[in-house]
Amino acid sequence: MKDQCSNGLQALFHNPDVATGSLGELLNHSSALLCKWLADAPNHGPRPGLIVQPLAEPDVAGKQIDELWRDLSSLMDGAYRPNHPGALAHLDPPALNVSICADLIAAGLNNNLLAEELSPSLSRLERSLCSWMARQIGLGANASGVPASGGSLSNLMALTCARRAANLQGRCDGVVLTGAGSHVSLNKALAVMGMEPDCLWRLPLDPEGRLLPAVLADALDRANQLGLPILAVVATAGTTVQGVVDPLRQMAALCKAAGVWLHVDGAIGGICALVDSQRWRVDGIELADSVSLNPQKLLGVSKPSSLLLLQDPNHLRTCFSTGLPYMEQATADHGGELGIQGTRGAEVLKLWMSLQYLGLEGIEKILEGAFLRARSLRSLLEPLPLHLLAGDLHLLSFNSAAASADEQINWRDRCHKQLLESGFWLSKPDWRDLPLLKAVLGNPFTSAMHLEQLASIISRSL
Ligand SMILES: *Cc1c(COP(=O)(O)O)cnc(C)c1O
């Protein structure tokens, strides 16, 4: 007799009574579909054409699974292909295989990192991994942090902690000092914090795109003279257009002397501090009060994967703890007590599996590969009549050395189009009044041969 309580709904979920149920078949099919899509990348461009979109709204009766697979396939045809060798436009590399698997498992576990009782082993793993990451980048024995769904949230939480630590909570008149190349998420953070846009002082950069310590020192003095409280200084370890790392050590010294919180936005470059051979690129990061770090970028952990790490993680508790009255006491902090987000998936699982599988040597190899590709492309482009904005990481932006702005814009559009026709996708940032082409060399499928091809198309377009 049919159970009125379950009413056939169990068929939608995995039934533990049935050893090999339909979930297995669905997973096999999904896995075949995904592997085919990944393998198919070289037969397409990195940037797909428009597809006929399937309907967004559900039917009354629901779809047959075969029809659904067809709609899913067409959506996948319209997706950006990060593993195409010519996918060089953005900070969005292909995902590590183990990370894809971990995401799948995490979806099935459906644990909630809000509270320890909803994710016992994973909560403990998250705390230990955050502590390890924070210690490994040099923030000290007591350092730790919290994962966040993206670097924008990590930056927002950092500035919220900084404001509180400066005893400025509830006040909107403080200023945040940063370089002109900092990420736009800082503007959003201030908006959320109830502050006016002009509270973000974007300081001028040197010709290389770096914030000079003397410029910061002047700005600190100026804020003091105006009687404006300084909420934080934000240094960037890898700017979004150029990949420039600010002089972290000198900025930290200035902040220490002024008693001001230093946040390092290391969404791109922070990962370098995990391994000895690359740490020099972000020298001084260990002196920050807080660091944002995005394993979803250079390292290839699937999205979203970001962390906010702090020398003193008590700041998170002070800002965000609510007592979570509807949860049991945890053995340590509940995940939801350390940040803005409530319910969170087990993003820690893919980060942990990726780091475990790679080991420090694997991390090193990924970073070295990206930096090698960036150096190679740079040396291929250097002899050409281009203006290169190279930075310190795996990004390379450039524009034509043509005299007039119109010529530069025309060349950029022409070259961008010719590259796309040959399967190379670069992005088109406008930055410091320059129409640039930008290549991000984080894609392990881009070979030396691809880079030579890329350079020769650029050369011919000039
Ligand atoms: C990508 C990026 C961010 C924002 O991270 P999201 O994950 O996109 O929110 C912040 N800062 C820098 C320097 C970045 O490149």
Side-chain angles (χ1 to χ4, degrees):
M1 207 171 67
K2 203 161 166 187
D3 182 341
Q4 293 296 313
C5 290
S6 71
N7 198 18
L9 284 174
Q10 285 179 358
L12 296 179
F13 303 90
H14 184 62
N15 187 342
D17 293 342
V18 186
T20 51
S22 62
L23 176 63
E25 287 162 31
L26 295 179
L27 288 178
N28 286 340
H29 196 92
S30 309
S31 146
L33 208 58
L34 181 61
C35 291
K36 181 169 174 291
W37 183 80
L38 289 168
D40 227 16
N43 305 323
H44 298 264
R47 222 178 128 158
L50 285 181
I51 57 148
V52 180
Q53 292 282 131
L55 286 182
E57 60 272 27
D59 289 344
V60 173
K63 276 224 160 68
Q64 292 299 312
I65 192 73
D66 287 339
E67 205 181 332
L68 188 54
W69 290 131
R70 275 197 298 280
D71 284 355
L72 175 60
S73 292
S74 66
L75 273 181
M76 291 169 81
D77 285 342
Y80 155 60
R81 294 182 184 266
N83 68 330
H84 185 284
L88 297 167
H90 294 288
L91 291 147
D92 293 76
L96 292 161
N97 287 344
V98 287
S99 177
I100 298 174
C101 299
D103 253 346
L104 172 71
I105 301 288
L109 297 178
N110 207 20
N111 276 212
N112 187 346
L113 274 290
L114 168 69
E116 194 181 68
E117 68 204 72
L118 288 169
S119 52
S121 56
L122 294 166
S123 288
R124 287 197 290 272
L125 181 68
E126 184 174 279
R127 291 194 292 258
S128 322
L129 192 59
C130 287
S131 300
W132 177 80
M133 296 276 283
R135 284 198 309 273
Q136 186 71 6
I137 69 168
L139 293 179
N142 300 321
S144 191
V146 70
S149 295
S152 302
L153 270 181
S154 297
N155 284 343
L156 169 60
M157 292 194 290
L159 291 180
T160 308
C161 287
R163 177 160 71 176
R164 181 95 184 209
N167 268 322
L168 296 170
Q169 66 269 27
R171 281 180 60 181
C172 299
D173 56 346
V175 289
V176 173
L177 310 186
T178 193
S182 295
H183 194 260
V184 291
S185 53
L186 301 180
N187 300 63
K188 291 191 193 175
L190 293 206
V192 174
M193 293 163 75
M195 298 171 66
E196 295 297 329
D198 62 5
C199 295
L200 186 64
W201 285 16
R202 289 187 169 276
L203 306 173
L205 307 174
D206 77 352
E208 312 256 82
R210 227 174 297 278
L211 177 57
L212 292 179
V215 174
L216 176 61
D218 280 351
L220 288 164
D221 284 347
R222 199 153 23 99
N224 284 331
Q225 280 159 17
L226 294 169
L228 295 170
I230 303 166
L231 200 149
V233 166
V234 180
T236 306
T239 53
T240 311
V241 175
Q242 259 187 282
V244 167
V245 178
D246 282 332
L248 307 179
R249 187 168 291 281
Q250 289 131 298
M251 289 175 74
L254 288 169
C255 288
K256 184 148 193 242
V260 170
W261 183 290
L262 175 64
H263 174 62
V264 173
D265 181 356
I268 303 176
I271 204 83
C272 295
L274 285 185
V275 291
D276 289 340
S277 64
Q278 300 294 338
R279 193 167 289 139
W280 61 272
R281 292 182 191 272
V282 292
D283 176 59
I285 199 170
E286 69 279 5
L287 303 170
D289 293 284
S290 57
V291 175
S292 300
L293 196 152
N294 275 18
Q296 73 195 13
K297 285 186 170 165
L298 191 40
L299 200 58
V301 176
S302 48
K303 288 184 250 304
S305 181
S306 176
L307 301 164
L308 174 64
L309 304 172
L310 300 94
Q311 277 199 16
D312 179 1
N314 281 315
H315 291 292
L316 290 173
R317 201 171 295 131
T318 310
C319 280
F320 301 116
S321 172
T322 61
L324 263 186
Y326 35 81
M327 293 294 169
E328 289 171 23
Q329 285 284 306
T331 55
D333 290 297
H334 287 301
E337 292 287 83
L338 296 178
I340 289 172
Q341 289 176 267
T343 291
R344 275 192 292 116
E347 282 155 25
V348 65
L349 193 61
K350 60 195 171 183
L351 179 58
W352 174 73
M353 282 194 45
S354 301
L355 295 175
Q356 289 288 315
Y357 190 73
L358 290 170
L360 294 175
E361 285 176 11
I363 298 172
E364 222 155 40
K365 263 193 204 143
I366 289 184
L367 301 183
E368 278 165 8
F371 297 135
L372 175 64
R373 287 188 290 278
R375 276 200 307 277
S376 309
L377 183 61
R378 187 176 172 173
S379 52
L380 288 165
L381 297 188
E382 252 158 7
L384 305 180
L386 291 168
H387 170 213
L388 301 184
L389 288 82
D392 305 300
L393 300 174
H394 65 308
L395 286 73
L396 184 61
S397 288
F398 50 93
N399 73 329
S400 97
S404 87
D406 279 351
E407 277 175 280
Q408 289 182 9
I409 291 171
N410 288 340
W411 169 77
R412 183 196 37 194
D413 290 345
R414 194 172 67 243
C415 183
H416 182 262
K417 187 162 166 280
Q418 289 169 0
L419 287 169
L420 260 186
E421 284 163 2
S422 303
F424 291 102
W425 182 27
L426 271 53
S427 55
K428 299 199 285 186
D430 291 318
W431 164 235
R432 303 183 104 178
D433 294 327
L434 301 173
L436 300 176
L437 281 177
K438 167 175 141 184
V440 183
L441 285 308
N443 182 348
F445 294 104
T446 312
S447 66
M449 184 200 73
H450 294 120
L451 294 178
E452 277 165 27
Q453 250 177 299
L454 175 70
S456 88
I457 298 169
I458 294 170
S459 166
R460 270 181 279 132
S461 75
L462 284 160

